[in-house]
Amino acid sequence: MSTVQGARARARIEVTAAIKDEARKQLAADGATKLSLRAVARELGMVSSALYRYFPSRDDLLTALIVDAYDAVGDAAEQALAQRRRTTSPATRWTAVCHAVRAWALAHPHEYVLIYGTPVPGYTATEATIGPASRVGLVLLSIVRDAHQSKGIAPPPLAAPVRAEAGRMATDLAPDLPPAAAVALVAAWSQLFGLISFEAFGQFHRVVEDREAFFTHAAGELARAVGLVLPA
């Protein structure tokens, strides 16, 4: 790459970052439904036609923001696991990852709403969001898989009506895990974000006062539900 091409590439990266930063400010102020490319361009001192060279439509910009948010919470989960992978029990790693996801959500409420709140009218997520959206789930899966391969796991038995679906889920998502573990893992994954959403959206007001202690207990119960043994 020539010096000129390198300078252009750096300039494009910088302008793209500035566009996304301004869009995040608009999300915080007005919500995703009112995100406007023209308003972003105006705040940055750009003409709209110039901004369209970076993001051809509002949906393209939304997709970029959604991917960034999923990647950010995925980074938080992966870092929490990496810091504890060799020194703690699977259940402790599980709760640490859960706490990292919660901490990210509470520190970035508007980005959390973008990916786990009310869908944006008229927007359809693209395939580009699938991989980033899977990262937290894959971290939780890796903890359960490691436990299964070492000392084993003890998920609760399956009721008869769900056994066929459990077999399909295990085949599609984690063929190396027992079907009961696959069902428990998907349930725990969804319950984790239910807990976080209740807190982030104010549903625990005047219900849960010590939310840190409550979340620690709830995350431990999710670990138990997927068959991880809690430390004494």
Side-chain angles (χ1 to χ4, degrees):
M1 180 180 293
S2 69
T3 301
V4 172
Q5 289 174 322
R8 288 175 178 170
R10 288 192 297 273
R12 184 173 184 85
I13 291 171
E14 291 171 1
V15 173
T16 299
I19 292 170
K20 291 194 287 188
D21 285 345
E22 178 57 36
R24 291 187 188 98
K25 292 178 184 177
Q26 291 195 16
L27 288 180
D30 301 316
T33 58
K34 294 185 179 181
L35 181 63
S36 163
L37 291 183
R38 290 183 180 275
V40 171
R42 183 171 59 250
E43 290 299 321
L44 293 176
M46 299 173 64
V47 296
S48 298
S49 57
L51 190 146
Y52 291 141
R53 291 199 292 269
Y54 294 85
F55 296 100
S57 70
R58 180 209 68 161
D59 285 5
D60 290 305
L61 179 54
L62 269 176
T63 295
L65 296 176
I66 289 168
V67 167
D68 283 354
Y70 276 131
D71 277 335
V73 69
D75 284 343
E78 290 168 4
Q79 290 169 13
L81 177 59
Q83 291 168 3
R84 296 164 179 83
R85 183 178 288 277
R86 298 184 182 278
T87 59
T88 58
S89 69
T92 301
R93 295 199 293 271
W94 174 282
T95 55
V97 168
C98 291
H99 272 287
V101 174
R102 171 180 177 262
W104 181 88
L106 298 180
H108 304 86
H110 303 294
E111 289 150 277
Y112 183 81
V113 168
L114 181 63
I115 54 178
Y116 290 111
T118 303
V120 180
Y123 174 78
T124 300
T126 69
E127 289 189 4
T129 65
I130 296 174
S134 303
R135 288 177 62 182
V136 172
L138 291 174
V139 170
L140 297 175
L141 171 60
S142 73
I143 296 170
V144 175
R145 178 177 284 128
D146 287 348
H148 178 59
Q149 292 173 349
S150 57
K151 296 183 179 180
I153 54 177
L158 290 171
V162 78
R163 287 174 188 164
E165 176 63 8
R168 184 203 62 78
M169 290 171 66
T171 298
D172 289 350
L173 302 174
D176 54 335
L177 292 180
V183 169
L185 182 60
V186 172
W189 178 36
S190 62
Q191 290 167 39
L192 168 62
F193 284 103
L195 284 165
I196 293 171
S197 294
F198 259 53
E199 182 173 0
F201 302 153
Q203 300 299 322
F204 284 151
H205 180 60
R206 300 183 66 180
V207 177
V208 180
E209 296 296 333
D210 189 343
R211 294 172 187 171
E212 185 81 14
F214 176 80
F215 185 84
T216 297
H217 170 77
E221 289 304 300
L222 294 179
R224 194 191 307 274
V226 299
L228 301 178
V229 178
L230 297 174

